[in-house]
């Protein structure tokens, strides 16, 4: 007889079980409104999460049912996550920055009967409820509100019997549902499994990825309603790290207070968050001596902004690339890499593979130092969108990301554009990302975006939209492009915006830009 190994299911409840047993006093900390913080150890967090599972079971939730959440990054939201996923239900996270109509359509598709909502998001939750007849009740966290079909969760927790089993299902069972940000097209649902998110967690913990250890204090600014908060609510308890949650307040002053108070060593969030922190410190002074690393993703990072953040905060910036469809981490630049650059997104860790193809999906004969259409596959990469019959991959299992990319001789990924963003002018293609990278590198520019505008002669012509942080003329902006891109690539117009529209993921919302300025 061959020997055998134990059938140890890779279910997400194992992370909190491990933390409760081996790191019981390591903390989850939530910033309070106006200062101060709530804190709880992992052992007590597990006890409360089990109680929430019992509450959900009392409302008829069982394995495979969807429970939605509409909440910020708080302890109570983490409790709901583990309660839902631990009992084998599916946690459908909703983005509070979308409209009630959009969220109602998503909830109708998922079939969720319960919605766990932060108290300050209750007005939005009520609007959603009006558009979803199947939504039976709203359970309120981070506050107490009670009215018809709306109940505070806390009293139910106090009465719970804690008799719901965790992990009594297959590791391939669905665990979470997140819809894409919809910055370039209609949002689509991505369903994660316990196995995919478990393996994603092990990957991000590697030294050349997030490198989180039990001695770290990790500030998760990236929202829990997007792509599992990049896996941080699983990764932190997996190693017993302190998990620091900012609630809904991610302004520079609030983050500075929190980082100082909790000795934060690692911060994770989109570039605009860290720009706000830098601007606050530049205005009022002060230092954040414990902060060592910042992991960024969501949108391309301007070199001038990366240099400014590293100089003012005294940190190493780790650039990255990923997608909702990838759970979401794809590539990360290690903090110890001497070749770190704003233009590079790092290398893939084991479990992720990259392929460059032509526009028809044929692999390029050379995979280094050439531009191609980027495809990915791996243990935490989508196979099919939620509610879709057709696979999201090609016949060989590769998922087309929609990105244009290069891979350098060392295996570092560089995203060079979005295929959908390409502008066809006079029958020839213009790549907005190349223009954005050049203009975005100017120290006076905070954010830059290029979109196409209909033109009676050429079909489309590019226009440049900029959010600036210092004075610079239109001519100087366009002059930065001369000699670096083809003359006919230079935008026909420059439009100043006070605040560049962005999705919660940090990506510039080009749908909104096209709607407002592309006519």
């Amino acid at each position: 007889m061959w020997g055998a190994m134990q059938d140890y299911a890779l279910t997400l409840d194992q992370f909190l079980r491990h933390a409760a047993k081996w790191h019981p006093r390591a903390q989850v900390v939530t910033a309070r409104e106006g200062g101060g913080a709530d804190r709880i150890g992992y052992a007590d967090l597990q006890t409360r999460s089990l109680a929430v599972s019992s509450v959900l079971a009392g409302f008829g939730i069982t394995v495979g049912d969807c429970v939605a959440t509409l909440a910020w990054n708080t302890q109570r939201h983490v409790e709901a996550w583990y309660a839902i996923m631990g009992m084998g239900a599916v946690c459908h996270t909703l983005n509070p920055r979308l409209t009630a109509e959009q969220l109602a359509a998503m909830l109708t598709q998922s079939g969720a009967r319960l919605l766990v909502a932060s108290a300050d998001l209750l007005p939005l939750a009520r609007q959603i409820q009006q558009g979803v007849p199947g939504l039976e009740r709203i359970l309120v966290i981070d506050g107490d509100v009670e009215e018809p079909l709306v109940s505070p969760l806390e009293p139910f927790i106090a009465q719970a019997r804690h008799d719901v089993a965790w992990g009594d299902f297959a590791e391939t069972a669905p665990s979470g549902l997140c819809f894409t940000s919809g910055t370039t097209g209609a949002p689509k649902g991505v369903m994660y499994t316990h196995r995919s998110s478990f393996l994603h967690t092990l990957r991000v913990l590697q030294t050349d990825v997030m490198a989180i250890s039990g001695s770290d204090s990790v500030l998760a600014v990236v929202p829990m309603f997007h792509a599992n908060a990049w896996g941080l609510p699983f990764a932190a308890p997996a190693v017993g790290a302190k998990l620091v949650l900012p609630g809904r307040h991610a302004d520079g002053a609030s983050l500075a207070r929190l980082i100082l108070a909790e000795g934060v060593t690692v911060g994770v969030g989109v570039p605009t968050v860290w720009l706000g922190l830098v601007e606050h410190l530049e205005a009022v002074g002060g230092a954040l001596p414990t902060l060592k690393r910042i992991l960024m993703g969501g949108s391309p990072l301007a070199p001038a902004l990366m240099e400014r953040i590293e100089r003012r905060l005294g940190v190493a910036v780790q650039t990255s690339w990923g997608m909702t469809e990838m759970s979401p981490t794809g590539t990360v630049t290690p903090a110890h890499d001497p070749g770190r650059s704003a233009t590079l997104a790092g290398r893939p860790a084991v479990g992720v593979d990259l392929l460059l193809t032509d526009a028809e999906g044929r692999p390029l004969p050379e995979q280094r130092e050439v531009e191609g259409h980027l495809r990915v596959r791996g243990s935490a990469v989508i196979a099919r969108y939620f509610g879709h019959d057709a696979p999201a991959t090609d016949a060989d299992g590769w998922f087309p990301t929609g990105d244009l990319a290069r891979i350098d001789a060392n295996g570092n990924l560089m995203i060079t554009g979005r295929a959908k963003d390409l502008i066809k002018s006079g029958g020839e293609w213009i790549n907005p990302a190349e223009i954005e990278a050049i203009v975005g590198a100017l120290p006076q520019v905070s954010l830059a975006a290029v979109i196409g505008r209909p033109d009676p002669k050429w079909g489309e012509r590019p226009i440049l939209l900029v959010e600036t942080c210092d004075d610079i003329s239109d001519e100087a902006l366009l002059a930065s492009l001369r000699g670096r891109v083809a003359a006919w690539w230079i935008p026909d117009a420059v439009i100043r915006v006070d605040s560049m529209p962005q999705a919660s993921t940090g990506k510039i919302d080009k749908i909104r830009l096209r709607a407002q300025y592309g006519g």
Side-chain angles (χ1 to χ4, degrees):
M1 294 291 291
W2 293 109
M5 303 301 289
Q6 294 181 18
D7 185 15
Y8 183 88
L10 305 182
T11 55
L12 296 172
D13 57 289
Q14 301 290 355
F15 293 127
L16 187 53
R17 289 180 187 275
H18 174 84
K21 182 174 182 179
W22 299 108
H23 309 283
R25 289 179 293 279
Q27 293 180 336
V28 173
V29 178
T30 303
R32 282 199 206 116
E33 183 88 27
D38 296 317
R39 58 191 71 242
I40 189 171
Y42 282 122
D44 290 336
L45 182 71
Q46 181 190 37
T47 299
R48 285 182 55 86
S49 294
L50 283 163
V52 177
S53 292
S54 180
V55 173
L56 298 177
F59 281 104
I61 300 300
T62 187
V63 174
D65 289 340
C66 270
V67 177
T69 67
L70 182 71
W72 309 108
N73 288 21
T74 68
Q75 169 200 323
R76 301 296 197 270
H77 198 182
V78 174
E79 291 170 359
W81 266 32
Y82 276 101
I84 296 164
M85 298 181 196
M87 67 188 297
V90 179
C91 184
H92 178 188
T93 52
L94 298 175
N95 182 345
R97 298 190 176 105
L98 298 179
T99 67
E101 291 76 18
Q102 289 172 313
L103 296 173
M106 295 172 185
L107 266 182
T108 299
Q109 191 175 349
S110 73
R113 294 184 288 112
L114 293 181
L115 172 60
V116 178
S118 292
D120 63 346
L121 291 172
L122 190 54
L124 177 59
R126 289 195 201 96
Q127 293 179 48
I128 297 169
Q129 193 175 34
Q130 291 172 6
V132 187
L135 185 59
E136 298 171 359
R137 183 166 294 273
I138 298 171
L139 297 173
V140 179
I141 58 173
D142 298 320
D144 292 327
V145 180
E146 187 160 10
E147 55 189 60
L149 304 181
V150 176
S151 305
L153 181 57
E154 198 63 34
F156 289 107
I157 294 175
Q159 302 166 12
R161 295 179 299 177
H162 304 206
D163 57 355
V164 177
W166 275 7
D168 191 17
F169 45 84
E171 64 180 27
T172 53
S175 61
L177 175 62
C178 178
F179 280 74
T180 59
S181 58
T183 54
T184 57
K188 289 179 283 190
V190 178
M191 185 74 84
Y192 307 116
T193 68
H194 284 263
R195 180 181 183 275
S196 70
S197 292
F198 198 107
L199 294 175
H200 178 271
T201 303
L202 298 185
R203 188 167 73 244
V204 301
L205 288 172
Q206 294 178 36
T207 303
D208 281 354
V209 188
M210 290 190 187
I212 296 170
S213 75
S215 62
D216 278 315
S217 176
V218 182
L219 175 61
V221 188
V222 58
M224 289 177 61
F225 52 75
H226 171 65
N228 287 337
W230 298 2
L232 293 173
F234 306 134
V239 295
K242 180 194 283 188
L243 180 60
V244 182
L245 304 169
R248 69 171 299 167
H249 300 290
D251 60 281
S254 298
L255 292 183
R257 280 197 307 270
L258 194 56
I259 291 168
L260 277 173
E262 301 303 329
V264 169
T265 58
V266 181
V268 185
V270 298
T272 48
V273 164
W274 307 116
L275 175 60
L277 177 61
V278 166
E279 290 176 339
H280 168 74
L281 293 177
E282 288 174 345
V284 305
L288 304 173
T290 63
L291 190 61
K292 305 302 180 188
R293 295 187 289 121
I294 286 175
L295 186 78
M296 291 197 196
S299 64
L301 181 62
L305 179 56
M306 178 171 170
E307 192 277 333
R308 182 183 176 191
I309 291 172
E310 289 194 333
R311 183 182 70 252
R312 183 60 184 84
L313 299 182
V315 300
V317 169
Q318 294 181 255
T319 50
S320 68
W321 168 82
M323 303 179 72
T324 304
E325 290 90 339
M326 298 179 67
S327 301
T329 307
T331 61
V332 177
T333 302
H336 55 78
D337 189 338
R340 283 184 304 107
S341 162
T343 61
L344 299 178
R347 294 179 294 273
V350 64
V352 176
D353 201 6
L354 310 179
L355 179 72
L356 296 180
T357 75
D358 63 17
E360 285 69 46
R362 292 183 293 261
L364 299 181
E366 296 294 333
Q367 291 286 308
R368 295 290 192 272
E369 305 295 359
V370 294
E371 185 180 60
H373 293 250
L374 180 62
R375 298 190 176 213
V376 296
R377 64 183 179 188
S379 57
V381 178
I382 191 170
R384 187 175 63 253
Y385 285 105
F386 179 63
H388 289 221
D389 293 329
T393 62
D394 64 20
D396 295 319
W398 292 99
F399 172 70
T401 66
D403 286 314
L404 302 174
R406 298 174 67 92
I407 301 173
D408 71 13
N410 296 317
N412 289 294
L413 180 70
M414 177 188 298
I415 301 299
T416 58
R418 287 287 293 172
K420 289 182 178 179
D421 288 345
L422 294 178
I423 298 166
K424 199 165 192 177
S425 184
E428 300 290 340
W429 292 108
I430 296 173
N431 186 349
E434 292 188 35
I435 302 172
E436 292 162 357
I438 294 169
V439 175
L442 298 172
Q444 301 93 336
V445 174
S446 296
L447 293 169
V450 174
I451 61 172
R453 188 164 64 183
D455 184 271
K457 181 177 180 180
W458 303 107
E460 273 190 308
R461 289 295 298 153
I463 60 172
L464 171 65
L465 299 104
V466 291
E467 176 187 331
T468 59
C469 56
D470 207 344
D471 289 338
I472 184 170
S473 67
D474 290 359
E475 176 54 34
L477 290 168
L478 298 178
S480 69
L481 299 168
R482 295 192 176 96
R484 302 182 68 183
V485 300
W488 57 275
W489 278 34
I490 294 177
D492 285 0
V494 176
I495 297 175
R496 311 293 181 124
V497 296
D498 294 331
S499 180
M500 194 73 75
Q502 295 178 63
S504 59
T505 57
K507 297 177 183 176
I508 293 174
D509 192 338
K510 289 200 170 180
I511 288 180
R512 288 169 60 188
L513 288 179
R514 291 189 188 102
Q516 190 167 356
Y517 302 104

